[in-house]
Amino acid sequence: AGDLSRALQRAKALVAARPDMEIAQEMLAFFLSQNERPDEAIHVLERRVETGRANDATRIRLGLLLSETGRAREAIALLQPFADRTDPDLLNAYGIALADSGDVPGAVRQFERILSADATNARAFQNLGIVALRAGQVARARDNLQKALTLSPDLPLALTAMGVVEARSGNMRAANERWSR
């Protein structure tokens, strides 16, 4: 019903009543992250890992959250054992963590792996564009970001990065249009 706050309260109550119920802990972590409380979600998942009660999916979810919150080295340590898999969300998170840690070639390889399996993965194009933008490769960034936005016109990070590309190219009107969207 879209009531994330209420869902979070119910998940907390369920965990309090049944702390041994693994799915309740998963739900709690999910609703914490959906309520923009990623540090608390990370804490819930880290406790599961520390107690030895985490499955692969939990470790991957924790790695994704670590990557999203700028804890690149921790994310790499958790995600690297799964890097031979083909899950695009995992590979995107792993690639972002690699890029954030300074391993740009490693990051690009992960994004290109995704695209070799699925040439319509907008987030992989978005991430290639962001990596190129960070490296000052504005034309390459524009190309990848345009592909991402063609596939998914409302990707917030792609729109923001494309605004930066336009600003660096001297087209402030187009930059402001992207940022406004």
Side-chain angles (χ1 to χ4, degrees):
D3 190 348
L4 293 175
S5 178
R6 187 169 177 218
L8 175 58
Q9 294 310 315
R10 293 219 173 194
K12 282 182 175 182
L14 185 55
V15 167
R18 298 277 312 273
D20 59 325
M21 184 183 231
E22 292 182 21
I23 191 70
Q25 302 241 353
E26 295 284 331
M27 288 175 20
L28 176 59
F30 174 77
F31 290 127
L32 284 166
S33 70
Q34 293 299 305
N35 277 279
E36 298 185 24
R37 295 164 68 177
D39 291 335
E40 292 174 66
I42 288 169
H43 180 70
V44 168
L45 297 175
E46 283 177 331
R47 270 197 333 247
R48 295 215 37 222
V49 169
E50 290 165 4
T51 61
R53 294 175 33 193
N55 58 23
D56 287 356
T58 299
R59 291 177 190 278
I60 291 169
R61 196 166 300 110
L62 175 57
L64 291 167
L65 281 170
L66 290 168
S67 183
E68 290 171 11
T69 57
R71 295 166 64 180
R73 297 251 182 248
E74 294 171 75
I76 290 169
L78 268 171
L79 296 173
Q80 194 167 32
F82 305 100
D84 61 341
R85 298 192 183 172
T86 58
D87 179 321
D89 291 333
L90 164 69
L91 295 176
N92 268 315
Y94 185 50
I96 291 166
L98 289 169
D100 288 348
S101 74
D103 183 0
V104 173
V108 169
R109 277 193 302 276
Q110 297 309 312
F111 304 138
E112 288 175 346
R113 274 184 61 205
I114 296 165
L115 292 169
S116 70
D118 176 11
T120 63
N121 189 295
R123 290 193 193 284
F125 281 117
Q126 167 189 272
N127 292 333
L128 280 171
I130 291 169
V131 167
L133 187 58
R134 286 181 182 174
Q137 301 168 341
V138 177
R140 181 174 285 167
R142 178 187 301 278
D143 181 51
N144 284 305
L145 292 168
Q146 191 56 55
K147 288 175 183 174
L149 291 168
T150 298
L151 293 166
S152 185
D154 297 320
L155 276 176
L157 289 177
L159 287 166
T160 300
M162 187 59 99
V164 174
V165 166
E166 296 294 357
R168 286 191 183 172
S169 300
N171 190 348
M172 289 309 295
R173 182 173 177 217
N176 286 325
E177 287 174 13
R178 298 290 185 165
W179 292 330
S180 293
R181 286 195 50 213

